[in-house]
Amino acid sequence: MIALEEKLLQGYKHKFLSFDKNEHKCEEVKALNPRAQLPTFKHGDIVVNESYAACLYLESAFKSQGTRLIPDDPAEQALVYQRMFETNNLQQKMYEVAFYEHYVPEGERLESALKRNKESLVAELKLWDGYLEKMGKGSYLAGKSFTMADVVCFPIIAFFPRLHCPRERCPRLMEYYEMLKDRPSIKASWPPHWLEKPEGPDTLKNL
């Protein structure tokens, strides 16, 4: 939804579904995505089911409208793509700590495994902090302009303060979060349940 807002496509129809209630497995979703996964996106007769694919489609279809999210310069473009797809690493490692008890059955949980997951996440956060340190204060993820890298990565970074990650674990990322959290496109796409309850469980507190 951040990409939709950045491309000035306000007024689009959207629906929030609950994973906890298995609403993503409804027939309406399956008609668009046989995997019954979210998000799913439809533009006219075109259906795009992967979030990155939908974002890239929007930039291509509305290239001259709103914020330019993919630069023309090859070197700048390469860095945007690099940070975009690196986001998968950050997301997976965060999930393996923050939602460990959700994904791992009770009888299979091990403190040693969770400890390894935390160490892996700490190392990942150091990488991202290093990226921003190298870019300089006030920078976005791939340079001085807001790009698709920020569109796809900010929602993942937003989990860290919400789940009580110690600021000292990723001070540059937290500065980046503070810089972007009030951007209009981000405020417009904030999850309703996050607005109702800004703080989540403290699953990242002891990172």
Side-chain angles (χ1 to χ4, degrees):
M1 288 176 61
I2 296 174
L4 286 164
E5 295 288 333
E6 290 289 339
K7 302 311 289 185
L8 304 179
L9 297 170
Q10 294 92 343
Y12 51 85
K13 295 180 181 179
H14 65 284
K15 182 184 288 188
F16 287 100
L17 300 177
S18 171
F19 285 104
D20 291 339
K21 298 176 182 177
N22 283 326
E23 290 177 347
H24 59 296
K25 295 183 179 180
C26 68
E27 292 306 314
E28 183 182 7
V29 173
K30 288 180 180 179
L32 297 171
N33 186 352
R35 295 180 186 273
Q37 295 175 341
L38 297 176
T40 187
F41 170 80
K42 186 176 182 181
H43 178 221
D45 294 328
I46 298 170
V47 177
V48 187
N49 287 314
E50 294 292 336
S51 57
Y52 286 16
C55 287
L56 291 171
Y57 169 80
L58 283 168
E59 177 62 15
S60 177
F62 301 96
K63 191 171 184 178
S64 62
Q65 186 169 320
T67 306
R68 189 70 177 273
L69 297 172
I70 302 291
D72 285 330
D73 179 81
E76 293 176 4
Q77 190 178 110
L79 185 57
V80 169
Y81 288 142
Q82 179 68 39
R83 295 293 178 260
M84 280 180 65
F85 289 93
E86 276 187 287
T87 299
N88 289 322
N89 296 308
L90 181 62
Q91 180 177 7
Q92 180 181 345
K93 291 175 182 181
M94 183 268 290
Y95 278 15
E96 287 173 350
V97 176
F99 306 113
Y100 180 76
E101 293 187 1
H102 175 78
Y103 288 113
V104 181
E106 186 174 0
E108 299 176 18
R109 296 171 195 163
L110 296 171
E111 283 298 319
S112 58
L114 180 57
K115 182 175 181 291
R116 285 195 301 273
N117 291 353
K118 288 181 177 181
E119 290 170 351
S120 181
L121 178 55
V122 167
E124 184 71 20
L125 287 172
K126 286 181 180 178
L127 275 177
W128 287 88
D129 249 34
Y131 294 156
L132 286 170
E133 181 73 30
K134 186 177 180 180
M135 287 288 180
K137 193 171 182 64
S139 175
Y140 296 96
L141 288 178
K144 298 301 181 184
S145 299
F146 184 91
T147 68
M148 195 66 80
D150 304 289
V151 168
V152 302
C153 196
F154 181 85
I156 305 307
I157 292 171
F159 274 98
F160 288 91
R162 176 173 170 78
L163 302 181
H164 304 269
C165 176
R167 186 180 180 87
E168 61 268 20
R169 282 298 186 194
C170 48
R172 294 291 176 267
L173 276 180
M174 291 303 96
E175 288 176 7
Y176 168 83
Y177 169 81
E178 291 294 333
M179 181 178 78
L180 278 187
K181 66 182 178 67
D182 291 322
R183 189 178 177 92
S185 63
I186 288 172
K187 290 182 72 173
S189 56
W190 210 254
H193 62 291
W194 284 29
L195 289 173
E196 294 168 6
K197 190 177 181 182
E199 292 191 4
D202 60 359
T203 49
L204 295 178
K205 182 179 179 180
N206 297 318
L207 192 60

